[in-house]
Amino acid sequence: MNYDDAMASYDPVMGLEVHVELGTRTKMFCGCSTTLGAEPNSQTCPTCLGLPGSLPVVNAIGVESAIKIGLALNCEIAQWCRFARKNYFYPDMPKNFQTSQYDEPIAFNGYLDVQLEDGEIFRVQIERAHMEEDTGKSSHIGGATGRIHGASHSLLDYNRAGIPLIEIVTKPIEGAGVRAPEVAKAYVAELRELIKALGVSEARMDKGQMRCDVNLSLRPHGREKFGTRSETKNVNSLRSVERAARFEIMRHATVLDDGGTIVQETRHFHEEDGSTTAGRIKDNAEDYRYFPEPDLVPIAPALAWVEELRAALPELPRLRRARLQGEWGLSDQDMQSVLNAGAVQPILETIAAGAPADQARKWWMGELARRANESGTDLSEQPITPGQVARVCALVAEGKLNDKLARQVIEGVLAGQGEPDEVVAARGLAVVSDDSALGAAVDQAIADNPAIADKIRDGKVAAVGALVGAVMKTTRGQADAARVKDLILQKLGAA
Ligand code: ADP
Ligand code: MG
Ligand code: ZN
């Protein structure tokens, strides 16, 4: 069934659960380091390994970050709340329970306004934001797929076990209609910007620092009662969030139209074709035997502290976007395309790295947006950094590259050929402005085009463009066009 047919009969309801790994220096309940990419199991201790007799201590920055997120999401902040044990067995969770929060989250009842592609604002209600900890990581070895099925053995790395997580859960999102997948993507995008603006996490989805579970159900138009939901786990890019929602809408509609029933289950998302497949059955009877964590004192943030944090919140993304639009002098429409391309942050970082605003915008919205589009990836995932784009801008400003060469340098950086300067050197891309190197090409162009040369000698200076073009062609775009023009005029006595 296609999307439009599905939407003609059904109304989607969504729930988004986003996990954000905080960027704290140490773990949530012990002093172990959180640095990514360390030797497996080198960042562990008795507490995060769940050894008998070890005791947790709460990371104050973790709590502070949770409150900041709650405030930025317009939530109420609990005056008193506790951690709870969520009991289940999984090898990558050494304590056999996850320290989380259950009926007493630190933040609850908020909302986040998100802007859709046409500029419309959609309000997503937030159920809660609570603190918990990440699990370790299993790698299944010996099979073809990397999944546990078919593997000969598994390896466990507990470096990630105990890294602070904030889980942000929406209330059921109703009323989005055909735009449900777009709302899901816009919500996660806005949340990511917010988290980054707060400085509590880099929120890189490609590094697993932020991941989203997409709950989705359909109900026939006009029916109030929700349908049964599926829960697509760990979706890890903005585009995938949108695709997962879209795929589930079509899948649910197909099952329901055939008179089937949707089972409440988790599902896996597949990047290659945007499909989902069944995971484990998850009915509401699932029992984690939650109980209050006896080894940790309750959290009772002083009102004065909460107000201090509220007063110190940075400018939030929506207001900042309005300010930037003014500073960059963009029309509503131009600003909207920058937003739709996800280019605000890359542009800002490129400006911070020294590029002029118009140049930064030009490269991210031109060449790089086009490539992102072609490859169906997010702009922020392009293998080029804002610092590298800024360096390309600087080379153009210094006259060492023209736009055509700059495009080739960007192409080289994207292809993994190194830093901009390395690509320039390796491909020999610098603009040629040296008169002796240009002289021969200029003489040749004059000799090849005697009629045009005569016009210029007679004072028709505007004709010089054709000769400059000829030189650019023979130098394969590498000549400094301004210098070429000067040389031609000099040689023809028209300067
Ligand atoms: P669980 O831990 O089982 O995933 P949560 O309450 O943490 O349950 O999250 C469920 C998410 O799904 C929430 O965002 C909630 O608003 C949403 N949700 C609940 N029921 C439905 C439904 N029938 N259809 C779509 N979303 C739902
Ligand atoms: Mg869930
Ligand atoms: Zn530890």
Side-chain angles (χ1 to χ4, degrees), residues 171-188:
K171 292 183 178 166
I173 302 170
E174 301 177 65
V178 288
R179 307 185 74 172
E182 189 195 340
V183 167
K185 178 181 176 186
Y187 167 76
V188 179

Side-chain angles (χ1 to χ4, degrees), residues 27 29-33 43-49 158 161-162:
K27 294 187 179 179
F29 303 111
C30 64
C32 289
S33 166
Q43 297 173 160
T44 59
C45 73
T47 300
C48 58
L49 288 177
Y158 292 115

Side-chain angles (χ1 to χ4, degrees), residues 13 15 17 128 169-172 215 217 226-227 229 231 282:
V13 175
E17 298 168 78
R128 63 177 196 272
V169 184
T170 68
K171 292 183 178 166
N215 293 269
S217 67
F226 294 164
R229 68 181 155 114
E231 182 179 354
K282 185 176 175 184

